[in-house]
Amino acid sequence: MNRRVPDVPRQGIIARYRDWLPVPPGAEPLTLGEGDTPLIRADRLLQELPPDRRPPAVFLKFEGANPTGSFKDRGMTIALTCARARGARAVICASTGNTAAAAAAYAARAGMDCWLVLPAGGVAAGKVGQAVACGARILPVRGSFDDALAAVRQVVAERPELVLVNSLNPDRLEGQKTAAFEVADQLAALGLDEPAAVFLPVGNGGNITAYHMGFSAYAAAGRLRRMPRLYGVQAEGAAPLVRGQPVDRPQTVASAIRIGRPVYGERALAAVRETGGRVLAVRDDEILAAQRLLARREGVFAEPASAASVAGLLKLAQGDEPGWEVPKGPVVCVLTGHGLKDVDTALRAARAGQGGPAPADLAALEAEALEPDAIVRHLLSVPVGGRSG
């Protein structure tokens, strides 16, 4: 019997898109197999939109499937590949968590030192745990991410042997633009129309800028007929682009986008403006409701910042904000990180009634343990088919 052996996926974005990337000639890719993340059709999410305001389809670009659980791996493979090719031995960054986890992992693989400056008390435990496990050196700072980044930039200016791997490093955005390539390629492989609109969470503004770079490159090469509208979604308590001014003390449950002075703010606004999209803000309760909806209706567990993209789609499509033109092609919501990055927030939200009854933590769950025979009696009597989500 002849059996077709499928191509082995996930060789990394450099192997797949090297001709589109500024990787030095002969440089060996430093990869963990990032990219090639799922584009998940979300038909149950689509049903949440008013019938007369629904696009043909909604998809979730689940970047939580990257090796360290977030989209940051795309930029880090390029940044560390190029840094190693240039002889670097140490990297440094400020982070709200995901950049730290990715930098620590790729630096470990490269055999480089890694220094991380994190806002004290402002980073989810899962992300700190990843960085610690990979051997990074962590320095908590009293202040916000913006304070952490200012300190790191000052250090790098005086110690050029430390390679900055925040999104200020242009290699980062070059890697992140490959997600836009994938969205276009995956929809084409499904025989579907090009993306009409893409919703992204916005913190520092680098990722929406990178998507704009990627779609622009494909359009220039004739691989896209039109640019999708880009929608940048910020948390209401950390929305400098929506407010039109910096936020000195940003506050939101979505820690990954808790940034008040986005480095790529102007480029993010240009990406939105040039594609006919817009920026908007969503409340924390809307973010948590979207996170719950994704998990309950689509089986996709994304961290709160990721759910901001879905909250933005729901807000516009349900008419809560002006400026929604029903797209004639597929809509893509980018989910930037896995829910396992920030389990504590999901448990707290559930306990507070955002997502139904649930223990406040794992210890509380174990305190409710039953004897095996009690479990059997319960499961033999409980009705099925009453799921509310």
Side-chain angles (χ1 to χ4, degrees):
M1 179 184 296
N2 292 325
R3 295 183 178 179
R4 179 179 176 273
V5 178
D7 294 334
V8 178
R10 305 205 75 164
Q11 297 300 299
I13 62 170
I14 296 176
R16 184 172 184 181
Y17 294 114
R18 187 162 191 147
D19 290 346
W20 299 80
L21 298 169
V23 177
E28 180 182 355
L30 182 72
T31 181
L32 289 168
E34 61 293 317
D36 195 26
T37 56
L39 187 68
I40 304 167
R41 188 167 187 134
D43 289 337
R44 298 191 75 195
L45 172 59
L46 182 66
Q47 296 305 310
E48 296 292 318
L49 308 183
D52 62 338
R53 299 172 71 83
R54 290 176 189 163
V58 173
F59 287 86
L60 308 172
K61 182 59 172 169
F62 187 41
E63 292 288 86
N66 276 299
T68 76
S70 89
F71 75 102
K72 303 287 189 176
D73 294 350
R74 293 181 183 273
M76 212 57 70
T77 183
I78 305 297
L80 270 290
T81 293
C82 293
R84 184 173 66 173
R86 296 167 187 144
R89 296 190 301 169
V91 298
I92 186 172
C93 70
S95 178
T96 57
N98 283 329
T99 296
Y106 283 81
R109 190 159 180 82
M112 295 183 188
D113 290 338
C114 180
W115 295 88
L116 307 173
V117 181
L118 312 179
V123 179
K127 302 173 186 181
V128 176
Q130 286 180 282
V132 169
C134 291
R137 305 176 190 184
I138 297 175
L139 296 170
V141 64
R142 293 190 184 95
S144 67
F145 165 81
D146 303 296
D147 297 314
L149 182 58
V152 166
R153 294 178 75 171
Q154 181 178 341
V155 170
V156 170
E158 299 183 28
R159 295 195 62 184
E161 74 273 20
L162 296 177
V163 176
L164 179 69
V165 291
N166 278 102
S167 57
L168 281 165
N169 183 328
D171 294 332
R172 280 277 312 279
L173 267 60
E174 291 288 342
Q176 288 169 212
K177 75 182 183 185
T178 61
F181 298 164
E182 285 184 16
V183 167
D185 292 342
Q186 288 169 319
L187 288 173
L190 292 170
L192 299 176
D193 198 6
E194 298 173 349
V198 179
F199 284 74
L200 299 104
V202 172
N204 223 11
N207 206 33
I208 195 169
T209 300
Y211 270 76
H212 187 243
M213 290 167 56
F215 287 130
S216 296
Y218 258 29
R223 299 186 70 157
L224 276 180
R225 296 189 310 275
R226 63 167 187 265
M227 290 285 288
R229 294 175 184 262
L230 297 180
Y231 292 86
V233 187
Q234 297 195 292
E236 198 171 73
L241 300 186
V242 177
R243 294 185 184 184
Q245 62 184 25
V247 177
D248 289 331
R249 290 181 174 81
Q251 295 295 327
T252 172
V253 69
S255 61
I257 54 174
R258 192 186 292 146
I259 295 172
R261 297 176 181 272
V263 170
Y264 283 99
E266 290 303 317
R267 291 185 64 180
L269 290 172
V272 166
R273 182 173 59 250
E274 291 171 15
T275 60
R278 60 166 295 185
V279 292
L280 68 152
V282 292
R283 302 187 309 272
D284 277 2
D285 65 300
E286 292 172 321
I287 290 173
L288 294 174
Q291 183 188 35
R292 174 180 179 260
L293 182 68
L294 284 170
R296 296 289 182 91
R297 292 298 181 92
E298 299 292 353
V300 178
F301 185 30
E303 69 170 319
S306 295
S309 63
V310 174
L313 168 62
L314 292 170
K315 193 163 193 170
L316 284 183
Q318 291 172 349
D320 294 339
E321 292 235 351
W324 175 247
E325 296 180 16
V326 180
K328 299 186 184 304
V331 169
V332 177
C333 292
V334 178
L335 307 181
T336 47
H338 203 291
L340 292 175
K341 292 275 193 172
D342 189 3
V343 173
D344 290 344
T345 296
L347 289 172
R348 284 195 300 269
R351 187 68 170 182
Q354 299 283 0
D361 53 36
L362 295 180
L365 177 64
E366 292 181 353
E368 298 173 0
L370 301 174
E371 293 296 328
D373 58 343
I375 293 287
V376 171
R377 288 195 302 272
H378 174 72
L379 292 177
L380 288 176
S381 64
V382 68
V384 297
R387 181 182 177 90
S388 61

